[in-house]
Amino acid sequence: MNCEAYYHDENMVEIFEELKQPKTLEELGLSYFFVRDLILKIMLTYGTVKTQRMTDITGIHLDILEEILGQMEKDGFCAQVGGSFLFSSVEYTLTKRGVEKARLVMEENPYIGIAPVPYERYFELMDKQLSNRFPIRIPDEVIEKTFRDVVGLSYAKECLVESCTIGKGLFVYGAPGTGKTFIISKASDLLPPIVIPRFIEFSGRVIQIYDPDFHRPCPEEPEDPRWIKIHAPFVFTGSELSLNELETTYNMNKGVYETSPIIKANGGVLFIDDLGRQRDDHEVILNRLIVPLENSKDVIYIRGVPVIFHTHFIPAFSTNLDVSIMDEAHLRRAPSTYS
């Protein structure tokens, strides 16, 4: 298998076939009211808006927008104010009633952006991608390409390839400046890509999955813009990490739940650098990871309702303190140790 086939295999081809852009509300998987409210907020924010601009913002096909906007006109929320016979160029603005409704909706949830994916669809597609992800056979060509700029460190490379092959963790310890972070950062290049939703909808709430700080888009992308193919994530944290930062939190300004590093690392690597120098006790932080590692799942709460998310990641830890900082229970989850 060459690099191209490894990074876009038969399973990925099949997933791309599934992820065609929805052209009906039923295919979209969101309620009429959720989409209507999203459009109301866009028109409140931008004033007079072309339908093509709405599609660019939300990723929703024009056929669906035509249906939604038609009903919104009947309900007295908006009106056409310009454009030609092409629906993509038609301009809409809010009526007085629409402005009042949009303001109420905005107060409830200010999120404006790409339409989310239904939670059930997210879970289904993650299961399909992750159920048999490990063990994997990493082609020699991929290994060679990954370590092209790494001189020496043959044992470290061997440990890294083994870890990525079987999907188990890494623990690296040694003096500062010995390349611990550099070598671990190569792990995500050894792993195959994954497709994730940018946002998820659960019970009317929006949950952010894609994070451009940690997720690198691939050159080829699904037709449905709500999904994105990324290189295997490499989620990096260090001495600044606290226990609270391992939890999903609600951002009131954005109107979204921002997922934790544990969830963002799904399909890739979660790297905790400078272990033992965090503000919270490192034992507490390591214990927080046990359930997500054992079950490859974690639970977050949306309006008090527990929601399960995939956490199928490889844990990686590094420290320049003594190796005894990791006890036996944690070392079992990071069997590849390099000094």
Side-chain angles (χ1 to χ4, degrees):
M1 182 187 293
N2 58 27
C3 283
E4 185 177 346
Y6 181 69
Y7 291 128
H8 201 83
D9 60 10
E10 292 180 1
N11 189 44
M12 187 62 71
V13 170
E14 187 177 324
I15 287 170
F16 268 48
E17 283 297 316
E18 289 184 30
L19 297 180
K20 300 296 185 184
Q21 187 175 20
K23 294 183 179 179
T24 67
L25 198 55
E26 183 180 1
E27 291 174 355
L28 190 68
L30 300 172
S31 72
Y32 161 78
F33 297 103
F34 185 94
V35 179
R36 181 202 68 184
D37 290 352
L38 185 58
I39 295 171
L40 282 170
K41 288 182 285 186
I42 289 171
M43 286 196 279
L44 181 65
T45 301
Y46 292 92
T48 300
V49 192
K50 285 187 178 181
T51 52
Q52 184 59 56
R53 176 65 172 147
M54 296 181 198
T55 290
D56 294 341
I57 293 170
T58 64
I60 297 174
H61 196 275
L62 285 167
D63 289 354
I64 300 175
L65 288 180
E66 188 170 13
E67 175 187 348
I68 299 292
L69 287 163
Q71 185 60 51
M72 289 174 64
E73 277 193 282
K74 290 179 182 177
D75 294 339
F77 290 129
C78 65
Q80 293 186 33
V81 292
S84 65
F85 65 93
L86 290 175
F87 182 70
S88 60
S89 66
V90 174
E91 295 179 321
Y92 281 87
T93 193
L94 292 174
T95 61
K96 183 179 179 180
R97 184 185 182 197
V99 170
E100 293 172 354
K101 179 65 175 177
R103 284 175 176 164
L104 291 173
V105 170
M106 188 72 86
E107 287 178 8
E108 171 68 18
N109 184 349
Y111 174 73
I112 295 175
I114 199 83
V117 170
Y119 169 78
E120 295 78 9
R121 184 65 176 129
Y122 148 80
F123 206 86
E124 175 189 341
L125 202 66
M126 289 302 105
D127 268 344
K128 184 170 185 177
Q129 295 182 86
L130 299 171
S131 58
N132 296 306
R133 191 167 176 84
F134 299 104
I136 57 176
R137 182 189 174 280
I138 307 171
D140 292 340
E141 185 180 341
V142 171
I143 296 173
E144 181 182 347
K145 181 180 178 182
T146 298
F147 296 128
R148 190 169 293 163
D149 59 346
V150 181
V151 179
L153 301 176
S154 57
Y155 180 62
K157 295 174 186 176
E158 183 182 327
C159 287
L160 200 62
V161 171
E162 179 185 359
S163 174
C164 291
T165 298
I166 62 177
K168 297 298 181 181
L170 279 166
F171 176 45
V172 182
Y173 64 97
T178 52
K180 299 186 299 296
T181 301
F182 173 69
I183 193 67
I184 291 178
S185 70
K186 297 293 182 179
S188 62
D189 293 329
L190 292 170
L191 296 170
I194 187 170
V195 175
I196 63 171
R198 297 174 188 269
F199 296 89
I200 293 172
E201 181 270 336
F202 181 88
S203 191
R205 292 295 185 178
V206 180
I207 306 160
Q208 183 175 347
I209 299 295
Y210 173 67
D211 185 340
D213 289 338
F214 299 117
H215 297 147
R216 293 179 295 140
C218 291
E220 59 285 324
E221 295 297 343
E223 182 182 308
D224 187 346
R226 299 179 301 161
W227 297 85
I228 182 169
K229 179 185 176 185
I230 59 170
H231 296 279
F234 181 72
V235 178
F236 178 96
T237 65
S239 58
E240 77 285 351
L241 179 67
S242 67
L243 194 61
N244 286 340
E245 288 167 350
L246 287 175
E247 304 300 333
T248 293
T249 57
Y250 182 67
N251 186 320
M252 294 183 63
N253 294 324
K254 293 167 61 178
V256 301
Y257 285 85
E258 296 180 335
T259 46
S260 70
I262 294 173
I263 295 171
K264 289 174 183 174
N266 182 47
V269 178
L270 175 61
F271 177 38
I272 298 181
D273 198 9
D274 289 328
L275 187 65
R277 299 191 184 280
Q278 283 71 30
R279 287 172 287 177
D280 291 326
D281 187 272
H282 70 279
E283 290 284 348
V284 176
I285 290 174
L286 291 172
N287 288 338
R288 171 65 181 88
L289 298 176
I290 287 178
V291 171
L293 286 172
E294 291 286 353
N295 302 330
S296 295
K297 303 284 194 304
D298 198 24
V299 177
I300 70 173
Y301 289 86
I302 307 296
R303 290 182 167 180
V305 178
V307 186
I308 298 173
F309 277 78
H310 286 271
T311 56
H312 209 293
F313 62 85
I314 295 174
F317 310 96
S318 78
T319 186
N320 52 31
L321 303 177
D322 191 83
V323 66
S324 61
I325 196 171
M326 290 277 282
D327 65 23
E328 184 178 347
H330 299 125
L331 280 173
R332 281 193 295 105
R333 296 168 176 86
S336 296
T337 303
Y338 168 69
S339 62

mmCIF file of all heavy atoms in Angstrom, residues 309-332:
data_model
loop_
_atom_site.group_PDB
_atom_site.id
_atom_site.type_symbol
_atom_site.label_atom_id
_atom_site.label_comp_id
_atom_site.label_asym_id
_atom_site.label_seq_id
_atom_site.Cartn_x
_atom_site.Cartn_y
_atom_site.Cartn_z
ATOM 1 N N PHE A 309 -19.485 10.590 23.898
ATOM 2 C CA PHE A 309 -18.636 10.964 22.776
ATOM 3 C C PHE A 309 -17.472 9.989 22.650
ATOM 4 O O PHE A 309 -16.998 9.431 23.641
ATOM 5 C CB PHE A 309 -18.101 12.391 22.950
ATOM 6 C CG PHE A 309 -19.064 13.446 22.505
ATOM 7 C CD1 PHE A 309 -20.134 13.805 23.319
ATOM 8 C CD2 PHE A 309 -18.929 14.063 21.277
ATOM 9 C CE1 PHE A 309 -21.041 14.770 22.918
ATOM 10 C CE2 PHE A 309 -19.835 15.027 20.863
ATOM 11 C CZ PHE A 309 -20.889 15.379 21.678
ATOM 12 N N HIS A 310 -17.012 9.803 21.422
ATOM 13 C CA HIS A 310 -15.864 8.929 21.178
ATOM 14 C C HIS A 310 -14.574 9.582 21.654
ATOM 15 O O HIS A 310 -14.349 10.779 21.448
ATOM 16 C CB HIS A 310 -15.744 8.617 19.678
ATOM 17 C CG HIS A 310 -16.773 7.652 19.192
ATOM 18 N ND1 HIS A 310 -16.582 6.292 19.210
ATOM 19 C CD2 HIS A 310 -18.014 7.838 18.688
ATOM 20 C CE1 HIS A 310 -17.656 5.690 18.722
ATOM 21 N NE2 HIS A 310 -18.538 6.609 18.412
ATOM 22 N N THR A 311 -13.711 8.779 22.288
ATOM 23 C CA THR A 311 -12.396 9.253 22.728
ATOM 24 C C THR A 311 -11.365 8.168 22.393
ATOM 25 O O THR A 311 -10.670 7.654 23.262
ATOM 26 C CB THR A 311 -12.377 9.552 24.235
ATOM 27 O OG1 THR A 311 -12.780 8.367 24.954
ATOM 28 C CG2 THR A 311 -13.333 10.686 24.576
ATOM 29 N N HIS A 312 -11.287 7.841 21.124
ATOM 30 C CA HIS A 312 -10.419 6.763 20.651
ATOM 31 C C HIS A 312 -9.060 7.356 20.289
ATOM 32 O O HIS A 312 -8.715 7.496 19.118
ATOM 33 C CB HIS A 312 -11.072 6.109 19.426
ATOM 34 C CG HIS A 312 -10.725 4.668 19.260
ATOM 35 N ND1 HIS A 312 -9.460 4.254 18.952
ATOM 36 C CD2 HIS A 312 -11.473 3.552 19.365
ATOM 37 C CE1 HIS A 312 -9.450 2.927 18.845
ATOM 38 N NE2 HIS A 312 -10.654 2.488 19.103
ATOM 39 N N PHE A 313 -8.272 7.706 21.311
ATOM 40 C CA PHE A 313 -6.994 8.362 21.057
ATOM 41 C C PHE A 313 -5.836 7.572 21.668
ATOM 42 O O PHE A 313 -6.026 6.711 22.530
ATOM 43 C CB PHE A 313 -6.989 9.793 21.609
ATOM 44 C CG PHE A 313 -7.182 9.874 23.107
ATOM 45 C CD1 PHE A 313 -6.102 9.741 23.975
ATOM 46 C CD2 PHE A 313 -8.447 10.091 23.644
ATOM 47 C CE1 PHE A 313 -6.278 9.806 25.349
ATOM 48 C CE2 PHE A 313 -8.636 10.167 25.020
ATOM 49 C CZ PHE A 313 -7.542 10.024 25.879
ATOM 50 N N ILE A 314 -4.631 7.876 21.190
ATOM 51 C CA ILE A 314 -3.410 7.320 21.763
ATOM 52 C C ILE A 314 -2.872 8.320 22.780
ATOM 53 O O ILE A 314 -2.595 9.463 22.418
ATOM 54 C CB ILE A 314 -2.359 7.048 20.673
ATOM 55 C CG1 ILE A 314 -2.855 5.955 19.717
ATOM 56 C CG2 ILE A 314 -1.014 6.658 21.288
ATOM 57 C CD1 ILE A 314 -1.944 5.727 18.521
ATOM 58 N N PRO A 315 -2.715 7.935 24.048
ATOM 59 C CA PRO A 315 -2.171 8.864 25.033
ATOM 60 C C PRO A 315 -0.645 8.912 24.943
ATOM 61 O O PRO A 315 0.018 7.885 24.761
ATOM 62 C CB PRO A 315 -2.618 8.263 26.366
ATOM 63 C CG PRO A 315 -2.663 6.786 26.095
ATOM 64 C CD PRO A 315 -3.099 6.644 24.653
ATOM 65 N N ALA A 316 -0.085 10.098 25.045
ATOM 66 C CA ALA A 316 1.368 10.262 25.050
ATOM 67 C C ALA A 316 1.737 11.234 26.170
ATOM 68 O O ALA A 316 1.101 12.273 26.329
ATOM 69 C CB ALA A 316 1.862 10.775 23.706
ATOM 70 N N PHE A 317 2.753 10.859 26.931
ATOM 71 C CA PHE A 317 3.181 11.682 28.059
ATOM 72 C C PHE A 317 4.690 11.879 27.986
ATOM 73 O O PHE A 317 5.424 10.988 27.550
ATOM 74 C CB PHE A 317 2.842 11.010 29.392
ATOM 75 C CG PHE A 317 1.424 10.533 29.501
ATOM 76 C CD1 PHE A 317 1.091 9.213 29.209
ATOM 77 C CD2 PHE A 317 0.412 11.394 29.889
ATOM 78 C CE1 PHE A 317 -0.213 8.768 29.301
ATOM 79 C CE2 PHE A 317 -0.901 10.955 29.982
ATOM 80 C CZ PHE A 317 -1.220 9.633 29.690
ATOM 81 N N SER A 318 5.157 13.041 28.413
ATOM 82 C CA SER A 318 6.599 13.250 28.518
ATOM 83 C C SER A 318 6.897 14.031 29.796
ATOM 84 O O SER A 318 6.062 14.818 30.267
ATOM 85 C CB SER A 318 7.142 14.002 27.304
ATOM 86 O OG SER A 318 6.862 15.380 27.381
ATOM 87 N N THR A 319 8.069 13.803 30.337
ATOM 88 C CA THR A 319 8.490 14.519 31.537
ATOM 89 C C THR A 319 10.011 14.566 31.586
ATOM 90 O O THR A 319 10.686 13.706 31.016
ATOM 91 C CB THR A 319 7.945 13.833 32.810
ATOM 92 O OG1 THR A 319 8.247 14.637 33.948
ATOM 93 C CG2 THR A 319 8.555 12.454 33.004
ATOM 94 N N ASN A 320 10.542 15.583 32.242
ATOM 95 C CA ASN A 320 11.969 15.594 32.534
ATOM 96 C C ASN A 320 12.208 15.345 34.017
ATOM 97 O O ASN A 320 13.307 15.559 34.525
ATOM 98 C CB ASN A 320 12.619 16.911 32.087
ATOM 99 C CG ASN A 320 11.898 18.137 32.621
ATOM 100 O OD1 ASN A 320 11.316 18.103 33.703
ATOM 101 N ND2 ASN A 320 11.917 19.219 31.861
ATOM 102 N N LEU A 321 11.154 14.873 34.696
ATOM 103 C CA LEU A 321 11.265 14.456 36.088
ATOM 104 C C LEU A 321 11.568 12.963 36.130
ATOM 105 O O LEU A 321 11.760 12.326 35.096
ATOM 106 C CB LEU A 321 9.977 14.790 36.835
ATOM 107 C CG LEU A 321 9.548 16.267 36.798
ATOM 108 C CD1 LEU A 321 8.217 16.451 37.513
ATOM 109 C CD2 LEU A 321 10.618 17.155 37.423
ATOM 110 N N ASP A 322 11.544 12.387 37.290
ATOM 111 C CA ASP A 322 11.876 10.969 37.432
ATOM 112 C C ASP A 322 10.795 10.080 36.828
ATOM 113 O O ASP A 322 9.610 10.425 36.843
ATOM 114 C CB ASP A 322 12.044 10.636 38.920
ATOM 115 C CG ASP A 322 12.639 9.252 39.125
ATOM 116 O OD1 ASP A 322 13.878 9.128 39.045
ATOM 117 O OD2 ASP A 322 11.858 8.305 39.315
ATOM 118 N N VAL A 323 11.178 8.925 36.289
ATOM 119 C CA VAL A 323 10.235 8.002 35.663
ATOM 120 C C VAL A 323 9.160 7.531 36.625
ATOM 121 O O VAL A 323 8.053 7.149 36.224
ATOM 122 C CB VAL A 323 10.989 6.793 35.061
ATOM 123 C CG1 VAL A 323 11.636 5.962 36.165
ATOM 124 C CG2 VAL A 323 10.058 5.927 34.210
ATOM 125 N N SER A 324 9.445 7.558 37.926
ATOM 126 C CA SER A 324 8.484 7.076 38.927
ATOM 127 C C SER A 324 7.244 7.951 39.014
ATOM 128 O O SER A 324 6.294 7.611 39.728
ATOM 129 C CB SER A 324 9.147 7.006 40.309
ATOM 130 O OG SER A 324 9.582 8.294 40.710
ATOM 131 N N ILE A 325 7.229 9.059 38.271
ATOM 132 C CA ILE A 325 6.054 9.932 38.276
ATOM 133 C C ILE A 325 4.829 9.207 37.720
ATOM 134 O O ILE A 325 3.688 9.549 38.024
ATOM 135 C CB ILE A 325 6.331 11.222 37.469
ATOM 136 C CG1 ILE A 325 5.287 12.291 37.789
ATOM 137 C CG2 ILE A 325 6.372 10.952 35.978
ATOM 138 C CD1 ILE A 325 5.614 13.648 37.216
ATOM 139 N N MET A 326 5.053 8.173 36.903
ATOM 140 C CA MET A 326 3.959 7.353 36.364
ATOM 141 C C MET A 326 3.887 6.065 37.170
ATOM 142 O O MET A 326 4.853 5.301 37.212
ATOM 143 C CB MET A 326 4.216 7.021 34.894
ATOM 144 C CG MET A 326 4.101 8.188 33.949
ATOM 145 S SD MET A 326 2.399 8.560 33.446
ATOM 146 C CE MET A 326 2.116 7.286 32.225
ATOM 147 N N ASP A 327 2.736 5.800 37.812
ATOM 148 C CA ASP A 327 2.617 4.544 38.553
ATOM 149 C C ASP A 327 2.228 3.413 37.604
ATOM 150 O O ASP A 327 1.988 3.613 36.413
ATOM 151 C CB ASP A 327 1.631 4.674 39.710
ATOM 152 C CG ASP A 327 0.194 4.918 39.260
ATOM 153 O OD1 ASP A 327 -0.147 4.564 38.114
ATOM 154 O OD2 ASP A 327 -0.597 5.453 40.055
ATOM 155 N N GLU A 328 2.162 2.199 38.131
ATOM 156 C CA GLU A 328 1.953 1.014 37.296
ATOM 157 C C GLU A 328 0.624 1.061 36.542
ATOM 158 O O GLU A 328 0.547 0.677 35.373
ATOM 159 C CB GLU A 328 2.008 -0.246 38.164
ATOM 160 C CG GLU A 328 1.909 -1.538 37.365
ATOM 161 C CD GLU A 328 2.006 -2.769 38.250
ATOM 162 O OE1 GLU A 328 2.384 -2.627 39.425
ATOM 163 O OE2 GLU A 328 1.705 -3.866 37.751
ATOM 164 N N ALA A 329 -0.432 1.541 37.199
ATOM 165 C CA ALA A 329 -1.747 1.584 36.553
ATOM 166 C C ALA A 329 -1.731 2.468 35.318
ATOM 167 O O ALA A 329 -2.358 2.164 34.299
ATOM 168 C CB ALA A 329 -2.802 2.084 37.542
ATOM 169 N N HIS A 330 -0.999 3.579 35.386
ATOM 170 C CA HIS A 330 -0.936 4.480 34.244
ATOM 171 C C HIS A 330 0.052 3.982 33.190
ATOM 172 O O HIS A 330 -0.172 4.154 31.994
ATOM 173 C CB HIS A 330 -0.552 5.887 34.712
ATOM 174 C CG HIS A 330 -1.548 6.477 35.661
ATOM 175 N ND1 HIS A 330 -1.197 6.952 36.903
ATOM 176 C CD2 HIS A 330 -2.892 6.642 35.561
ATOM 177 C CE1 HIS A 330 -2.279 7.404 37.520
ATOM 178 N NE2 HIS A 330 -3.314 7.229 36.732
ATOM 179 N N LEU A 331 1.130 3.346 33.622
ATOM 180 C CA LEU A 331 2.105 2.819 32.670
ATOM 181 C C LEU A 331 1.512 1.710 31.805
ATOM 182 O O LEU A 331 1.910 1.523 30.665
ATOM 183 C CB LEU A 331 3.338 2.285 33.409
ATOM 184 C CG LEU A 331 4.360 3.351 33.854
ATOM 185 C CD1 LEU A 331 5.437 2.720 34.717
ATOM 186 C CD2 LEU A 331 4.986 4.030 32.648
ATOM 187 N N ARG A 332 0.543 0.981 32.348
ATOM 188 C CA ARG A 332 -0.121 -0.064 31.547
ATOM 189 C C ARG A 332 -0.824 0.528 30.348
ATOM 190 O O ARG A 332 -1.016 -0.128 29.327
ATOM 191 C CB ARG A 332 -1.138 -0.825 32.416
ATOM 192 C CG ARG A 332 -0.542 -1.857 33.314
ATOM 193 C CD ARG A 332 -1.599 -2.782 33.896
ATOM 194 N NE ARG A 332 -2.530 -2.115 34.783
ATOM 195 C CZ ARG A 332 -3.778 -1.814 34.455
ATOM 196 N NH1 ARG A 332 -4.261 -2.096 33.255
ATOM 197 N NH2 ARG A 332 -4.575 -1.212 35.323
#
